[in-house]
Each structure stands twice: as C-alpha cells, then as structure tokens.
Amino acid sequence: MTRVFNFSPGPATLPEPVLRKAAEEMLDWHGSGMSVMEMSHRGKEFMSIFAETEATLRELLAIPSGYKVLFMQGGAIGENAIVPMNLIGATGRADYALTGDWSKKSYKEAKNFGQANVAATAEGAKFTAIPKQSEWKLDPGAAYVHICSNETIGGAQFHWTPDTGKVPLVADMSSDILSRPIDVSKYGLIYAGAQKNMGPSGLTVVIVREDLLGHALPITPSAFNYKVQGDNDSMYNTPPTYAIYIMGLVLHHVKQMGGMKAVHEHNLAKARILYDFLDSSSFYRNPIAKEDRSIMNVPFWLKDAALDEAFLKGAQQRGMIQLKGHRSVGGMRASIYNAMPIEGVQALVKYMKEFEIQHG
Ligand code: PMP
C-alpha cells in the first residue's frame, strides 16, 4: 500500500493511525459485535463514544462551562444561514468582516435573515491582508460580529482576536479549528465543518455560549435551532454518528501528539518551510501580507501559468496530489492541515526547487 501526500483543502488527509484504528474496529467495535455505523445513536455503546468525543474536544480546546457543544449537520455553508437564524433576532442586525471568499459568502447568506453590515473589508486589496482593528466600523447594536478565522481559498488567517466589546464574536473556524490553542471565552460562537482538521465531512461542530440561545427566528427549522439541539444534547435528530466516532479518534490522536500547543508548533514549522522557500524564490509567489498568512492553506502562483499543468502532473507522479488552486483564483494551493506530515511539506519544497531549476 502506498499513501499519497494529499494536499486537499477538504475533505482532507487524516492521521494514518486513526484510519488503521477505524479499519480494525470496523466490524466489531470493542466486542459489541457491531460496527459503529450500525449502532443506535441512543444505545449505550454510541452514547459512550459521543460523551468521550465531546469531553476530549472540551479538554483540548479548554472550552469553559457555560458553552454548549453541538454536533450538527449541514456543513459550514449551512451554518451561514443557521447562525443568523439563531442569533440575529436579538437586535435584527449583524456585522461581518470580509477577508476572503468564505466570509463574503457568509455575509451574503446572512442578508436573507436581517440587516447584515460590512464592518471591515479587504476586498479592495484582493483579500491579501486582514483589515487592522483600527479600520473596523463596529455597530454596538449588532447581535454579533462574524469573522472567518482562516480563509481556505485566499490564504489569509487571523493571528489575533478582534475586540468586539460586548457584542459576541462569531467565527467560522472550518479550516483552522484544532490547529492552535484558542481562547474560547473570547467568542460567543465558533462553528466548523469537520472535514479538514477533525474528521470526515457530514459533521459540523458548533460551540456556543449558552446565554445566546433562545433568540431563533420563528422560521428556524427545529433541527437547526441551537436551543432545541442544546436541550436535546444534539440528539433531537440523528447526529452523524460515524463522523463523530472518527472525530473522537482524531481528537485522541491530537491529545497523544501533545495537545494544541504541540500541534501548533508542528503546524508553524511546516508553514515556515513552505513560506521561507516561497520568499526565497522569484519563480513562485504568495501575495498575502506576511503577518496574515495562513498556516493551514498556502496558495502560490508559478511565474508562468502555462506551466501549471506540467507542475501538477510532476507532483502527481511524485505522489503529491490536490495541489491545484481553487477554481476562482487559479494557481496552486497546498493545504497543510494537522495530519499533513512534515515530510509531505519537505517533499513538496524539494519538488518545487527541482521544477524551478528545470523551468525557471
Ligand atoms: N467555510 C470555510 C472557511 C471553508 O473552508 C469551507 C469549505 N471549504 C466552508 C465554509 C464550506 O463548508 P461546507 O462545504 O462544509 O459547507
């Protein structure tokens, strides 16, 4: 068996020990005589998996009491609507910071549910930098302020937490949750699709401060009502059980790696290798302001786009896949989530050097 270095933005590479464990337990989980896929979500076996997954997430992210952890479906695009449906009703208005395609999408969706305002935007600079806090125009009467902590397509990431005063901060952390320590108490709500750093697609994690619950618009479907899901421990409808199980295995693996601080250091080391090389080369280019560069998604462009195809083909031949940039921006993108080993990044840089010598 040969495993590739998979630079996909998501669904993304998972830790090999997790996949091995899942394979080992596929037919018979812990002597239950069942696959996790076959278990009732209310049975004692799955309930124990569920409880341990939530407890490990709480431990790793140091989630304070007073926050609910919800296991939902619908993905982060679903949350773009579910967040305003649940929160905007408090005042009817919400602020959005636009730092790339994903936050822009969130903003557009929110407009369907109330008055969504742009508090800050980097669109004029083609999303190459995160707007400085001093440039933000925050509405003190907003129900929340929304950010995307890491723009998966553009490659800009918040390396600071905006100060929104008494207005709750909401963050789409789909592509950087579990990549570094965070202070959850600075957020009113955090949401993330699982398929980058946490597990397979189909599972969305929502971490929400309990005092924000109970303002859902009357049109909110009950399955997407945070209060209903919170009161029912995410079992109002059937949760994505197998995805939760895999997430539990991933969290256990992250814990074994030493927790968030160790994982963050590993991620910083990987990103440094790639950015240092990009900065040393005139053949490749990354346009993001240095202080705002993502340590998860590294977009880069070759000097001549006519070489893109040859670059991708050569990468594929060396067992490196999914390096093509998002169709909206072109170029290349290396997604280097937690589960990408440092050897993958080293192999990529080695290949990039060779390609540059050949074609530069
Ligand atoms: N937000 C961000 C930051 C993302 O990276 C993605 C997926 N790439 C989404 C939202 C959309 O997620 P989903 O497809 O799970 O709805």
Side-chain angles (χ1 to χ4, degrees), residues 10-236:
T13 189
L14 285 168
E16 196 173 310
V18 165
L19 299 175
R20 287 188 185 282
K21 179 95 176 152
E24 206 180 285
E25 296 180 340
M26 176 58 77
L27 293 180
D28 178 12
W29 182 83
H30 294 203
S32 65
M34 291 181 274
S35 166
V36 175
M37 256 183 264
E38 302 170 302
M39 290 175 183
S40 159
H41 58 301
R42 299 186 196 281
K44 70 174 189 325
E45 295 88 354
F46 184 74
M47 289 300 267
S48 74
I49 293 171
F50 184 87
E52 194 177 332
T53 303
E54 178 176 343
T56 315
L57 183 70
R58 283 187 177 273
E59 183 188 335
L60 282 170
L61 292 182
I63 301 174
S65 61
Y67 282 78
K68 289 267 186 206
V69 176
L70 307 177
F71 296 87
M72 316 252 305
Q73 299 181 54
I77 289 182
E79 288 303 319
N80 284 345
I82 298 168
V83 166
M85 276 197 278
N86 278 276
L87 302 189
I88 210 166
T91 69
R93 309 199 299 275
D95 275 343
Y96 279 73
L98 310 190
T99 53
D101 294 88
W102 287 114
S103 48
K104 214 174 137 184
K105 223 178 182 128
S106 301
Y107 161 66
K108 281 191 179 156
E109 185 85 29
K111 285 193 202 180
N112 296 326
F113 304 97
Q115 189 186 322
N117 299 313
V118 176
T121 178
E123 193 159 22
K126 296 202 170 127
F127 297 127
T128 50
I130 301 281
K132 304 271 175 293
Q133 173 97 53
S134 56
E135 296 161 22
W136 292 36
K137 290 197 177 60
L138 292 169
D139 168 8
Y144 62 89
V145 180
H146 180 283
I147 63 167
C148 174
S149 56
N150 182 64
E151 290 282 356
T152 322
I153 297 174
Q157 183 177 28
F158 276 88
H159 295 291
W160 49 282
T161 312
D163 179 0
T164 55
K166 288 199 166 60
V167 179
L169 180 61
V170 171
D172 173 359
M173 289 196 188
S174 292
S175 51
D176 67 354
I177 195 162
L178 281 181
S179 69
R180 57 183 176 179
I182 47 167
D183 181 352
V184 174
S185 71
K186 289 189 173 164
Y187 298 84
L189 187 147
I190 292 166
Y191 65 92
Q195 68 268 25
K196 293 141 195 325
N197 263 341
M198 295 192 289
S201 60
L203 167 64
T204 323
V205 171
V206 176
I207 303 166
V208 58
R209 221 172 63 207
E210 284 170 17
D211 64 287
L212 299 177
L213 303 178
H215 297 290
L217 300 176
I219 55 157
T220 309
S222 44
F224 295 146
N225 185 314
Y226 295 145
K227 174 97 175 63
V228 172
Q229 286 291 8
D231 289 346
N232 288 279
D233 295 324
S234 304
M235 299 266 178
Y236 178 75

Side-chain angles (χ1 to χ4, degrees), residues 242-298:
Y242 197 76
I244 291 170
Y245 156 71
I246 299 288
M247 178 175 153
L249 297 182
V250 170
L251 294 174
H252 181 70
H253 179 77
V254 167
K255 224 173 118 171
Q256 280 187 327
M257 279 177 74
M260 293 329 316
K261 252 184 137 167
V263 166
H264 188 208
E265 271 162 31
H266 185 236
N267 287 330
L268 284 172
K270 287 185 290 180
R272 202 172 301 127
I273 293 172
L274 196 42
Y275 285 118
D276 281 353
F277 171 67
L278 287 168
D279 289 342
S280 74
S281 156
S282 54
F283 185 80
Y284 302 98
R285 175 177 68 83
N286 168 284
I288 307 297
K290 279 191 182 166
E291 65 275 21
D292 300 323
R293 283 170 164 178
S294 169
I295 61 165
M296 294 278 98
N297 309 96
V298 184

